[in-house]
Amino acid sequence: MAVSHHPLQLNSNLKEPLCRRQWTVSSTSKVLSKFELRSFSASFFCSSVQISVVMRRLEFLCLGILWILAALQQVKSHGSHPFSKIAIHKSTFALNENAGVKASPSVLGLKGENTEWVTLKYSSPNPSSDDWIGVFSPANFSSSSCPMDNPRVYPPLLCSAPIKFLYANYTNPKYKTTGRGLLKLQLINQRSDFSFALFSGGLAKPKVVAISNRVTFANPDAPLYPRLAQGKDWNEMTVTWTSGYGIDEAEPLVEWSQNGKDLMRSPAGTLTFDRNSMCGAPARTVGWRDPGFIHTSFLKELWPNNEYTYKLGHRLTNGSYIWSSTYKFRAPPYPGQNSLQRVVIFGDMGKDEADGSNEFNDFQHGSLNTTRTLIQDLKNIDIVFHIGDICYANGYLSQWDQFTAQIGPIASTVPYMIASGNHERDWPGSGSFYDTMDSGGECGVVAQNMFYVPAENREKFWYVSDYGMFRFCVANTELDWREGTEQYKFIEHCLASVDRQKQPWLIFLAHRVLGYSSCTFYAEQGSSSEPMGRESLQSLWQKYKVDLAIYGHVHSYERTCPIYQNICTNDEKHYYKGALNGTIHVVAGGGGASLSPFITLQTKWSIYRDYDYGFVKLTAFDHSNLLFEYKKSSDGRVYDSFRLSRDYRDILACAVDSCPSTTLAS
């Protein structure tokens, strides 16, 4: 098969990188072992340098590679990173006229589809079991346009990281013998064209053997992936979406109506960001991908609990319109309204590939199950809170588009509220409370733009969300929350200002565990939560009688008794009647990322643990009755639950440290 023409340019002026530092890898993970060598691609190449590989230590790497790998080192939230054992050698281009890759169809979305399957046919005269196919977008991944991160960091040979890859023998067991293969890959509309490269030499010595024809969507600029969120007012819904249309090309808007009557149009604001907004590699180097334009419209004065239809639009300069599909949502209830209200909460979901391909940060294998289970039960869900570690892009920006496509059926139908996690925000020298590289250089910028939250300052990312009989106080654990800080004052105001007669169910949400967890990585630190978490906040939870504090970060499920200062305040486990006298702490970080193990010691305060993927569902029947359920993502069945039944007077009743000291007047 002949090699398809591709305008790939090689940069002959690349200099030798400096090789000075040492990067030590961890080999502690057992959960990810089979993926450790499958999540790397040909984007991290350094010319004219010979790199030796030792089993557990990569020494004298060029600084360009080092900066990228440093962003991917072990993080506490999920053990060893899947890149913890990588062999990297000098890459070469070995385009072979007898090898080839052909992709069909070459034009996708002719009927308006945003997701399509592409068939690849490929051949190699020297096939090997470690040959692989990389997916690139934009199609031209030339090194000639690679910027330097700083004067001492040189670009890799390939400018853009592949979006994903599959081994050539994935569905072709005879590939090594015949040299021919066929793959089906799923692509989403990401505002640019695609190409597919066949590599030999495995991941250790990658060689570009052949490059395919270009593939593109009929309208790569189309408005896509709507994300609903509650606005700052109770009767307001925001709609955020992504397109390729800048404000000089088209005016963004939402056309909406109540049951098809009285059609209205609301304008949208437009945001974007550039490479210089990123804090470091890989987000501003090989992981960078143009995010397009992000639009947000505010639909106001909604009637509570009424159903609305809407569609996304762009008015072009010639007066014509580009429209999306039509979607539906139900307006939020009035704060305090007595009606059935159902809330789903989880953290750390990430994304996964339906076609079985590998990708960067390839350890979120429960993600698709969680997504599918929620979609199947969507008629019984009113609002979703994803409390941090959203998609684990870790500086590879193409993953954000793929995540918004994955959750599209959910986020286009019910409000999808997010919180900030370490994989969205943390970066050294960026003001994050934790001085880690977990965000891959994104330092919160991508999450703050891709999703709307009703915060006074979206960079700070803490906010109040009132939904009917619920008050949610959403904290940002990646910024300082300790007593005396701005966030501490916000948390106290959020808890203190709620009218518990109208909104009896008071919920505290945060990413990192500020309460209680039996996870091993906390135990190894001699703790059961983040340092200074309970010390700073438990007095507030007790004073304002917080019912539930729910966290992510630990990739499993755990529920405590109602507790205050390490003491259970109620011996019941499944039916609480009257005052709790403490707060129930829940870890719900099993959305999809690799699971976190527990210690073997059974503490008195830990009522239920599950080393599996799942999510929490809260159902408020009225002002006096709440149902809590933990469901597994694999089957949607309930594995842990309790009921809370009480009257307003039970909330008013004093518990330890929850009422002011008495005086002579009393």
Side-chain angles (χ1 to χ4, degrees):
M1 187 181 296
V3 179
S4 303
H5 173 71
H6 191 279
L8 182 68
Q9 303 172 14
L10 300 182
N11 190 343
S12 60
N13 297 319
L14 288 176
K15 301 177 182 179
E16 284 192 359
L18 300 173
C19 299
R20 295 180 180 177
R21 295 177 60 187
Q22 184 181 83
W23 188 69
T24 303
V25 299
S26 170
S27 59
T28 58
S29 174
K30 296 181 180 179
V31 177
L32 305 174
S33 59
K34 69 176 181 178
F35 300 101
E36 287 169 342
L37 295 178
R38 304 184 101 189
S39 302
F40 201 75
S41 71
S43 53
F44 306 130
F45 299 144
C46 205
S47 67
S48 305
V49 175
Q50 181 65 36
I51 302 173
S52 63
V53 180
V54 183
M55 285 297 290
R56 295 189 179 182
R57 174 176 290 181
L58 304 179
E59 298 184 328
F60 305 114
L61 293 183
C62 63
L63 284 180
I65 295 174
L66 176 64
W67 274 74
I68 298 166
L69 292 179
L72 302 170
Q73 59 190 312
Q74 177 176 333
V75 293
K76 291 189 293 183
S77 60
H78 49 72
S80 296
H81 196 280
F83 291 175
S84 61
K85 294 179 181 177
I86 302 171
I88 303 173
H89 286 70
K90 182 180 176 180
S91 67
T92 59
F93 275 76
L95 297 177
N96 190 318
E97 63 180 5
N98 296 315
V101 184
K102 181 173 177 56
S104 62
S106 58
V107 180
L108 309 175
L110 292 174
K111 296 181 180 179
E113 302 94 336
N114 300 321
T115 302
E116 288 260 39
W117 288 83
V118 172
T119 299
L120 298 183
K121 294 181 179 180
Y122 47 91
S123 63
S124 171
N126 302 299
S128 172
S129 59
D130 58 2
D131 291 357
W132 54 279
I133 297 283
V135 183
F136 292 85
S137 180
N140 180 6
F141 47 95
S142 164
S143 66
S144 62
S145 61
C146 286
M148 295 183 185
D149 190 33
N150 62 56
R152 295 178 67 84
V153 177
Y154 295 90
L157 192 60
L158 295 184
C159 183
S160 301
I163 291 175
K164 55 186 177 180
F165 71 91
L166 265 176
Y167 283 92
N169 63 1
Y170 179 69
T171 57
N172 305 277
K174 296 182 179 180
Y175 170 77
K176 186 176 179 180
T177 303
T178 65
R180 296 182 177 276
L182 183 147
L183 283 176
K184 290 185 179 292
L185 293 173
Q186 188 180 61
L187 298 182
I188 65 165
N189 193 341
Q190 290 188 261
R191 303 173 307 284
S192 190
D193 53 4
F194 301 83
S195 64
F196 308 84
L198 174 62
F199 288 83
S200 66
L203 304 180
K205 300 178 181 180
K207 299 178 182 179
V208 181
V209 175
I211 303 170
S212 77
N213 53 297
R214 296 172 184 260
V215 172
T216 187
F217 277 82
N219 181 9
D221 295 328
L224 299 170
Y225 318 127
R227 287 91 74 185
L228 297 174
Q230 284 193 284
K232 293 180 180 178
D233 295 325
W234 71 268
N235 59 349
E236 178 181 64
M237 187 73 77
T238 69
V239 186
T240 299
W241 73 96
T242 307
S243 84
Y245 293 111
I247 55 175
D248 57 339
E249 302 171 282
E251 297 173 352
L253 71 150
V254 173
E255 185 175 272
W256 57 289
S257 67
Q258 183 179 348
N259 296 322
K261 303 174 183 177
D262 301 324
L263 204 63
M264 293 170 281
R265 288 182 176 178
S266 295
T270 299
L271 297 173
T272 191
F273 52 91
D274 58 26
R275 191 190 300 262
N276 293 329
S277 300
M278 303 292 98
C279 289
R284 63 187 294 155
T285 56
V286 295
W288 170 257
R289 191 178 189 278
D290 192 310
F293 299 95
I294 302 158
H295 318 279
T296 300
S297 183
F298 298 82
L299 314 186
K300 300 176 178 290
E301 298 184 359
L302 305 176
W303 290 85
N305 289 96
N306 275 241
E307 187 177 83
Y308 290 82
T309 59
Y310 72 99
K311 60 181 179 180
L312 320 172
H314 292 267
R315 184 178 184 272
L316 304 180
T317 54
N318 63 7
S320 63
Y321 287 85
I322 300 294
W323 295 107
S324 72
S325 302
T326 299
Y327 305 93
K328 293 182 180 181
F329 71 85
R330 188 171 297 279
Y334 183 78
Q337 178 177 308
N338 195 342
S339 60
L340 183 67
Q341 295 154 19
R342 302 153 299 183
V343 184
V344 164
I345 304 169
F346 58 85
D348 306 73
M349 184 168 78
K351 58 170 290 294
D352 202 5
E353 292 291 340
D355 57 18
S357 59
N358 297 304
E359 56 187 351
F360 292 103
N361 309 313
D362 190 14
F363 54 81
Q364 302 119 57
H365 302 291
S367 174
L368 286 178
N369 274 347
T370 300
T371 304
R372 289 166 181 159
T373 300
L374 294 179
I375 292 172
Q376 290 169 2
D377 195 40
L378 200 53
K379 65 181 182 299
N380 296 312
I381 299 172
D382 297 313
I383 186 171
V384 169
F385 285 88
H386 186 161
I387 49 177
D389 284 7
I390 307 302
C391 75
Y392 291 91
N394 289 15
Y396 294 93
L397 272 62
S398 65
Q399 307 298 288
W400 282 96
D401 283 320
Q402 295 175 29
F403 176 78
T404 55
Q406 178 175 310
I407 65 167
I410 304 168
S412 63
T413 306
V414 300
Y416 198 96
M417 315 299 293
I418 71 167
S420 182
N422 50 302
H423 286 281
E424 286 75 58
R425 180 63 182 87
D426 292 2
W427 189 258
S430 69
S432 57
F433 192 46
Y434 296 85
D435 200 32
T436 73
M437 294 181 172
D438 292 353
S439 76
E442 294 179 15
C443 54
V445 173
V446 187
Q448 294 159 22
N449 283 274
M450 292 292 287
F451 286 85
Y452 176 85
V453 294
E456 292 301 320
N457 184 329
R458 286 169 72 176
E459 194 280 327
K460 294 173 181 174
F461 230 100
W462 56 69
Y463 61 93
V464 180
S465 182
D466 290 319
Y467 192 88
M469 295 176 284
F470 288 98
R471 158 66 64 95
F472 296 96
C473 297
V474 184
N476 181 358
T477 56
E478 310 317 301
L479 299 179
D480 198 347
W481 67 81
R482 293 173 295 177
E483 188 169 1
T485 63
E486 183 182 1
Q487 181 167 196
Y488 183 91
K489 294 174 183 177
F490 156 77
I491 293 171
E492 180 162 26
H493 181 265
C494 180
L495 299 177
S497 60
V498 62
D499 182 345
R500 297 297 290 276
Q501 188 274 322
K502 296 181 176 63
Q503 293 176 287
W505 311 117
L506 182 55
I507 317 296
F508 177 83
L509 301 178
H511 177 62
R512 293 178 186 259
V513 179
L514 302 181
Y516 296 83
S517 167
S518 302
C519 181
T520 54
F521 64 71
Y522 284 132
E524 289 166 357
Q525 300 169 4
S527 177
S528 56
S529 69
E530 293 293 327
M532 301 172 288
R534 288 200 305 274
E535 290 82 350
S536 295
L537 297 175
Q538 66 179 342
S539 61
L540 294 184
W541 298 327
Q542 187 71 1
K543 179 179 179 180
Y544 298 108
K545 302 167 186 173
V546 172
D547 297 309
L548 285 158
I550 305 177
Y551 318 99
H553 197 57
V554 173
H555 303 168
S556 52
Y557 169 77
E558 186 171 19
R559 171 170 67 95
T560 75
C561 59
I563 190 171
Y564 177 53
Q565 293 184 341
N566 294 308
I567 298 174
C568 291
T569 59
N570 193 313
D571 293 330
E572 182 54 55
K573 294 184 178 180
H574 297 287
Y575 180 62
Y576 300 100
K577 187 171 178 61
L580 288 174
N581 298 320
T583 298
I584 298 172
H585 294 261
V586 176
V587 173
S594 59
L595 295 169
S596 303
F598 297 107
I599 59 174
T600 56
L601 176 67
Q602 180 62 48
T603 56
K604 185 176 181 180
W605 46 259
S606 180
I607 291 180
Y608 191 96
R609 303 174 184 175
D610 190 34
Y611 181 76
D612 204 350
Y613 301 110
F615 54 90
V616 161
K617 184 176 182 180
L618 306 179
T619 302
F621 297 100
D622 51 40
H623 289 79
S624 297
N625 293 282
L626 177 75
L627 173 64
F628 173 100
E629 297 172 302
Y630 162 68
K631 298 185 176 186
K632 290 196 185 226
S633 300
S634 57
D635 57 15
R637 294 172 56 192
V638 176
Y639 286 80
D640 182 37
S641 67
F642 68 82
R643 285 182 174 270
L644 177 54
S645 179
R646 68 172 181 222
D647 295 325
Y648 180 48
R649 64 184 178 183
D650 298 317
I651 300 175
L652 296 176
C654 290
V656 175
D657 292 341
S658 69
C659 288
S661 300
T662 58
T663 67
L664 289 175
S666 64

